[in-house]
Amino acid sequence: MSVKIHGEKAVMAELEKRLGRWKAQQLSDKALKQGAQVFIKELKSQFQSFKDTGASIEEMTISEPMWVAGVRTIKIHWRGPKDRYRIIHLNEFGTVQNPSPRGKGAIVRAMRNAESAYRSAIKRVIREGL
């Protein structure tokens, strides 16, 4: 599951040309963090509909920006004492015994719902940085 933004290479190349590589990467990291905050807010609201103990919501974490296959990336994952990362895929896709759990498709819905807010958050951070 990923969101594809067209023209990002041209934008990043222009930012690097104007600001320098280090400053452009700092700006990119800040934009990624703000976008991740927007997405995690929507993801938490999607998980509210089927929460039991709330452990899946509490254990949502955002990684630091990193390079993955030559692209700057932030990952949303589940880390905590209750090890919810083990069952997130069961809620998202279902199982043989329970093919349609209450939370089925919550991550995909959150991605779809947060896409425009994510893009506007990134645009806002880039405009502030220029």
Side-chain angles (χ1 to χ4, degrees):
M1 293 178 262
S2 64
V3 177
K4 181 71 174 165
I5 300 173
H6 299 284
E8 64 191 47
K9 290 181 182 179
V11 170
M12 287 307 298
E14 185 65 26
L15 285 175
E16 285 181 10
K17 187 173 112 180
R18 289 184 183 189
L19 303 173
R21 181 172 284 251
W22 178 249
K23 184 69 176 174
Q25 182 175 327
Q26 286 180 328
L27 186 62
S28 172
D29 289 351
K30 185 177 177 183
L32 282 171
K33 288 178 183 179
Q34 290 292 323
Q37 289 296 329
V38 168
F39 175 70
I40 209 94
K41 182 180 175 186
E42 177 62 29
L43 189 59
K44 286 182 178 183
S45 72
Q46 289 293 326
F47 271 57
Q48 287 292 330
S49 65
F50 62 93
K51 83 173 189 176
D52 184 22
T53 62
S56 294
I57 296 171
E58 293 170 8
E59 292 188 0
M60 287 180 193
T61 55
I62 301 171
S63 73
E64 288 298 314
M66 65 185 97
W67 291 100
V68 175
V71 178
R72 206 69 176 152
T73 305
I74 285 186
K75 292 185 179 184
I76 309 294
H77 52 97
W78 284 261
R79 289 284 181 252
K82 296 187 179 178
D83 292 332
R84 300 304 285 189
Y85 71 93
R86 296 178 191 269
I87 65 166
I88 295 302
H89 69 283
L90 299 176
N91 281 337
E92 186 65 14
F93 302 111
T95 63
V96 173
Q97 284 84 17
N98 186 7
S100 296
R102 288 188 301 162
K104 186 170 185 173
I107 297 172
V108 173
R109 277 193 308 275
M111 286 176 56
R112 189 176 49 239
N113 294 344
E115 186 175 357
S116 64
Y118 174 82
R119 288 176 189 244
S120 64
I122 288 178
K123 286 178 189 176
R124 183 178 60 247
V125 170
I126 291 175
R127 283 186 183 131
E128 290 171 2
L130 296 177

